Amino acid sequence: MIAPLLAVLAISHPAAAQSAPVIAPVAPATPSRWTVSGSLRVRAETLAGQFRPRFAEHDDVLFTRATLAVGYDAGRVRFGTELYDSRAFGQDPLSSVGTSEVNGLELTQAFADIDLGDDGYSVLRLGRMTMDVGSKRLVSRQNFRNTTNSYTGARLQTPLGGGNLTAFWVMPQYRLPDDRAGVEGHAVEWDRESTDLQFFGASWVGALDDRATTLEIYGYGLNEQDDPALQTRDRRLLTPGFRLRRGPRAGRVDFELEAAGQVGTARRTAAVADTRDLDVGAWFMHAEVGRTFDRVWKPRLAVQYDHASGDEGGDHYARFDPLFGARRFEFGPAGLYGPVSRQNLRSPGARVEVRPSRRFEAMVMYRGLWLDSPTDALGLTLVADPSGRSGRFAGQQIEARARYALRPDGVWLEVGAARLFKGRVLTDAPGAPDTGDTVYGYADVTVAF
């Protein structure tokens, strides 16, 4: 039972600011209009001391993911398709495994890229696609997670004003099946899109000073309403933001500052009886400063701070919505773990990274976890104290990861672990599981071709 990582089509333009290494397929020996690539990944995960209420205290799962991508270059028009097959085996009957981990035999991409000029820099993509935009904190393809985000619509990438513009209008896919029997039985059911969920926006990135520093300005919109098959929170959100970044380089200081606000309307829950539209006022920010030392192991030390608003009840809704962003690269592994997200959070942290060789890299990170609002839940823990008497301190998290290339041309071994030292919020709040600290580990092997 083997399964994959990303198959990134050679015919697509590279996304800016990748936060995790992408395993590239081996280049063909001779030029061809056809490209075929794929990946296989198998991952074992274990978790003890569950932090979520009503889920298994201990869980051991084997995840597999396989991808296959085929592209055809017809000149000014290029075509691409990609299949994903994501499965889980051995989970507890009360496991947290769901549609974020299981999606059997899904067509995640089927698109046409059209060159709009003779220089090849302006490209319009039409069809079903995955997307990484900017930092990937709000729009991401997903990598660590066993399934990915997919969208149907249009995306334009073009030079503009000395920088690069990405603009899109898409309908995000609803992953199916979404019922317990379908997930556990690996039922194959095509994901669907609907005009009842529309996502659109634009991001412009340009270089400053010596071109080592970049500025990104963006705005994203989300329109959602109930449909016959799904009850929603009827979100109407506008999320403007910016990102200023100087990337890591040996012998110098790097930094990053990203912030976004969020306005619009939404309902507090998706319950049928909840028909009250609330004004939204939410925000998030990420600040980081690091330095890479010019030594053999290229050590990088960084400190960072993340803050995302939480809801305090009443006539306004203030919990930040992270849209379709990735979180593993900042907040720890997903899968069976993943308590922290860009929601109701105040979190300082420190990170150490080393890269002794092109084939080996490792990282250790520490985070303190506090609530922005003492009456709202931390991230995805599902634990909240409506009275606020449990305070703000949710605990501490430490994680470690190591990655080694068994073969430089696309065979990787990765291992990682995390421990959540639960604070008062996660032990004393009503409904908090009495399970002790959460301990998590994983190991996977990925083959790309």
Side-chain angles (χ1 to χ4, degrees):
M1 292 177 289
I2 306 179
L5 195 281
L6 298 224
V8 178
L9 297 180
I11 58 177
S12 64
H13 289 263
Q18 296 292 332
S19 61
V22 174
I23 301 173
V26 179
T30 57
S32 171
R33 288 184 176 271
W34 290 94
T35 59
V36 179
S37 61
S39 61
L40 304 171
R41 184 178 74 188
V42 60
R43 170 185 291 150
E45 297 188 26
T46 183
L47 180 141
Q50 179 65 260
F51 55 85
R52 308 173 184 89
R54 302 179 298 280
F55 286 96
E57 178 179 351
H58 184 276
D59 208 1
D60 298 304
V61 183
L62 183 68
F63 293 106
T64 66
R65 187 173 72 183
T67 67
L68 177 64
V70 178
Y72 179 75
D73 188 344
R76 295 188 67 129
V77 180
R78 297 173 298 280
F79 301 92
T81 61
E82 182 184 39
L83 284 171
Y84 247 67
D85 187 71
S86 306
R87 300 175 185 254
F89 303 90
Q91 63 265 41
D92 188 275
L94 295 178
S95 175
S96 62
V97 170
T99 58
S100 292
E101 292 77 37
V102 176
N103 197 9
L105 199 60
E106 182 59 44
L107 185 67
T108 55
Q109 299 200 88
F111 60 80
D113 277 348
I114 304 170
D115 284 340
L116 300 182
D118 296 329
D119 55 11
Y121 290 108
S122 295
V123 179
L124 176 64
R125 176 168 291 187
L126 301 173
R128 181 175 284 195
M129 68 193 78
T130 61
M131 294 192 299
D132 283 327
V133 181
S135 66
K136 305 198 293 186
R137 292 187 176 98
L138 298 177
V139 187
S140 172
R141 172 187 166 96
Q142 301 289 341
N143 182 14
F144 185 90
R145 204 180 75 191
N146 212 43
T147 63
T148 194
N149 298 327
S150 186
Y151 315 84
T152 300
R155 185 190 73 190
L156 172 68
Q157 293 180 298
T158 185
L160 180 69
N164 294 294
L165 175 71
T166 299
F168 61 88
W169 172 88
V170 294
M171 295 173 288
Q173 302 294 317
Y174 295 101
R175 286 187 295 275
L176 297 172
D178 56 4
D179 62 290
R180 174 60 57 183
V183 169
E184 292 182 349
H186 302 135
V188 175
E189 183 176 352
W190 291 117
D191 295 351
R192 67 179 179 88
E193 65 278 318
S194 170
T195 55
D196 292 323
L197 178 61
Q198 301 180 44
F199 184 44
F200 50 90
S203 168
W204 178 87
V205 181
L208 305 178
D209 54 58
D210 59 356
R211 305 188 67 82
T213 304
T214 59
L215 171 66
E216 178 187 8
I217 302 172
Y218 58 80
Y220 304 126
L222 182 73
N223 283 342
E224 175 187 66
Q225 62 184 6
D226 299 340
D227 70 18
L230 183 66
Q231 192 74 20
T232 73
R233 292 177 44 237
D234 283 59
R235 295 170 293 169
R236 306 283 195 277
L237 301 177
L238 177 63
T239 308
F242 76 93
R243 178 190 184 213
L244 188 66
R245 179 178 185 267
R246 188 183 192 196
R249 183 180 296 174
R252 77 176 190 190
V253 173
D254 59 84
F255 63 84
E256 183 175 13
L257 175 65
E258 181 171 3
Q262 202 163 67
V263 295
T265 62
R267 295 172 185 173
R268 185 157 278 123
T269 72
V272 175
D274 187 352
T275 59
R276 186 183 181 190
D277 292 326
L278 303 174
D279 288 334
V280 172
W283 61 278
F284 101 93
M285 64 88 67
H286 169 84
E288 180 173 348
V289 177
R291 180 178 175 85
T292 303
F293 295 89
D294 194 7
R295 298 291 185 267
V296 176
W297 281 30
K298 297 294 187 292
R300 178 177 181 264
L301 307 181
V303 293
Q304 58 193 74
Y305 178 73
D306 290 271
H307 197 151
S309 59
D311 188 38
E312 297 181 351
D315 296 332
H316 291 78
Y317 188 76
R319 183 177 175 88
F320 186 77
D321 191 318
L323 302 175
F324 303 95
R327 54 196 174 95
R328 189 275 177 268
F329 62 96
E330 285 177 342
F331 297 130
L336 296 181
Y337 193 64
V340 187
S341 65
R342 294 176 190 90
Q343 298 169 294
N344 195 33
L345 178 69
R346 299 179 183 179
S347 179
R351 177 193 298 257
V352 179
E353 303 169 349
V354 294
R355 189 183 294 267
S357 71
R358 294 174 59 88
R359 299 180 64 168
F360 178 72
E361 62 180 70
M363 178 275 291
V364 177
M365 183 169 183
Y366 165 84
R367 275 190 175 278
L369 304 171
W370 283 265
L371 305 185
D372 181 62
S373 167
T375 60
D376 195 5
L378 171 73
L380 302 181
T381 61
L382 308 178
V383 175
D385 184 348
S387 72
R389 286 192 290 267
S390 298
R392 296 179 185 271
F393 182 58
Q396 304 173 80
Q397 175 180 280
I398 186 167
E399 62 162 313
R401 182 196 70 215
R403 184 184 291 118
Y404 180 73
L406 300 174
R407 281 179 44 186
D409 58 359
V411 182
W412 285 81
L413 169 67
E414 182 173 329
V415 296
R419 180 159 186 151
L420 175 63
F421 299 90
K422 295 178 182 176
R424 186 180 169 195
V425 169
L426 298 181
T427 59
D428 295 357
D434 184 16
T435 55
D437 292 340
T438 301
V439 180
Y440 165 87
Y442 73 91
D444 66 45
V445 174
T446 302
V447 180
F449 60 91

